[in-house]
Amino acid sequence: MTAPNGVLLVDKPAGVTSHTVVAMARRQLGTRKIGHAGTLDPMATGLMVLGVGPATRLLTFLVGLDKTYEATIALGASTITDDAEGDVVETADASAITQEALAAAVVPLTGDIEQVPSAVSAIKVDGKRSYARVRAGEDVALAARPVTVSRFDLGPLRSGALASVDAVVDCTSGTYIRALARDLGAALGVGGHLTALRRTQVGPFGLEDAVVADAIVPGALLRPVDVASRVLPVVTLDDEDARLLANGRRPRTDAVGIVAAVHDGELVGIARGEAGRLHPVANLGVAAADQAAKDAEADA
């Protein structure tokens, strides 16, 4: 039996965890060899990138890709989780906010910024998840970390004591959209939180190529070579160099940096060009696929 091998783009529904989506993919593809390139909160929807079989080794090169989100932000209430799933901890009348005030408040939250992540997050503090500490009643103060928000576009303001606005955000990996909602509300003096979130893009991959979670089939997998060639420079190898690299050797090259090594239309692996040689980084060729097939038989 040929073990599944590729990258799967899934449109996650609301109300389920990312772990549940991975479990669904494992069941529907008949393999446990599945990982992800970033989770979404249960209330969020949109694009999840899963690696299946040997292609899980590609996730290292996908997890740091920039992302695009569509969000809805409520202004006039703060919650413990910075989103609609948490209890409201403070309210203020947001009816005086104007579109001009919104536009001004977004400016300091755009570009290279220092962002304090939401306290209810999976970040570890002294070996324990931050959200677990908060739920245990602890006060958690996370350190700010650098992120880049290259676009923070706001739609028309829906005015009221509890106002709301839609947003589109392009950002680096590790950016918390919940924290942007919190900080936008804080800048306006009324508090804010996230009420809806949809991830529409991860690097070059969009929802148009994704399948819904209950329609996962082997035919939905993207070939490793097609994925790698969209995120990395490609080096094409001849028969001998492909054999050398697949066996852990270092063929000669003019390439510099991390590349996708391709032979005969298939991905041999990920390599690093340095000092005139290709150094193996991750094997994704025949040997890796053969091992995955053996692992699948052992799991059966």
Side-chain angles (χ1 to χ4, degrees):
M1 180 181 71
T2 301
N5 178 30
V7 170
L8 181 67
L9 306 180
V10 180
D11 187 351
K12 175 192 167 301
V16 302
T17 67
S18 296
H19 177 77
T20 297
V21 173
V22 172
M24 292 172 69
R26 285 173 172 162
R27 182 172 62 252
Q28 290 164 233
L29 294 176
T31 180
R32 293 192 54 79
K33 310 300 179 182
I34 297 181
H36 62 76
T39 62
L40 285 167
D41 292 335
M43 69 167 262
T45 68
L47 189 59
M48 282 188 64
V49 179
L50 307 184
V52 182
T56 55
R57 299 175 188 179
L58 283 176
L59 295 177
T60 298
F61 310 97
L62 304 178
V63 69
L65 296 174
D66 290 353
K67 298 172 175 65
T68 298
Y69 295 91
E70 295 176 353
T72 300
I73 299 169
L75 300 168
S78 301
T79 72
I80 192 171
T81 57
D82 299 328
D83 64 21
E85 295 195 320
D87 294 335
V88 174
V89 294
E90 190 173 1
T91 62
D93 187 348
S95 58
I97 294 174
T98 64
Q99 195 75 41
E100 292 73 21
L102 266 179
V106 158
V107 173
L109 299 175
T110 307
D112 297 328
I113 64 174
E114 293 286 327
Q115 184 186 68
V116 177
S118 297
V120 181
S121 66
I123 295 171
K124 286 189 176 181
V125 179
D126 295 329
K128 188 175 180 181
R129 300 289 185 188
S130 179
Y131 64 74
R133 292 186 177 277
V134 171
R135 289 168 183 166
E138 298 181 35
D139 289 328
V140 177
L142 297 175
R145 52 182 61 188
V147 299
T148 299
V149 178
S150 54
R151 175 170 59 149
F152 194 168
D153 290 346
L154 297 180
L157 175 68
R158 294 183 287 272
S159 299
L162 182 66
S164 67
V165 63
D166 295 329
V168 178
V169 178
D170 293 338
C171 57
T172 52
S173 182
T175 303
Y176 282 82
I177 311 303
R178 285 183 288 150
L180 288 178
R182 174 201 67 202
D183 294 344
L184 180 63
L188 292 163
V190 297
H193 66 277
L194 195 68
T195 59
L197 183 66
R198 183 162 176 77
R199 186 156 66 198
T200 60
Q201 196 84 16
V202 176
F205 308 107
L207 280 172
E208 64 275 8
D209 298 318
V211 298
V212 296
D214 59 358
I216 296 171
V217 293
L221 294 178
L222 303 180
R223 298 170 64 226
V225 66
D226 295 332
V227 172
S229 62
R230 292 181 70 179
V231 298
L232 295 170
V234 173
V235 171
T236 302
L237 305 181
D238 61 22
D239 292 349
E240 177 61 15
D241 285 348
R243 184 187 64 79
L244 289 172
L245 189 68
N247 285 287
R249 306 291 291 277
R250 296 176 295 173
R252 294 187 180 277
T253 187
D254 294 328
V256 176
I258 299 296
V259 300
V262 175
H263 171 252
D264 198 23
E266 297 293 338
L267 184 65
V268 177
I270 307 301
R272 184 183 72 257
E274 183 180 328
R277 296 280 184 177
L278 270 185
H279 300 255
V281 173
N283 175 26
L284 285 106
V286 174
D290 286 346
Q291 184 59 53
K294 293 176 182 178
D295 291 343
E297 290 175 1
D299 288 339

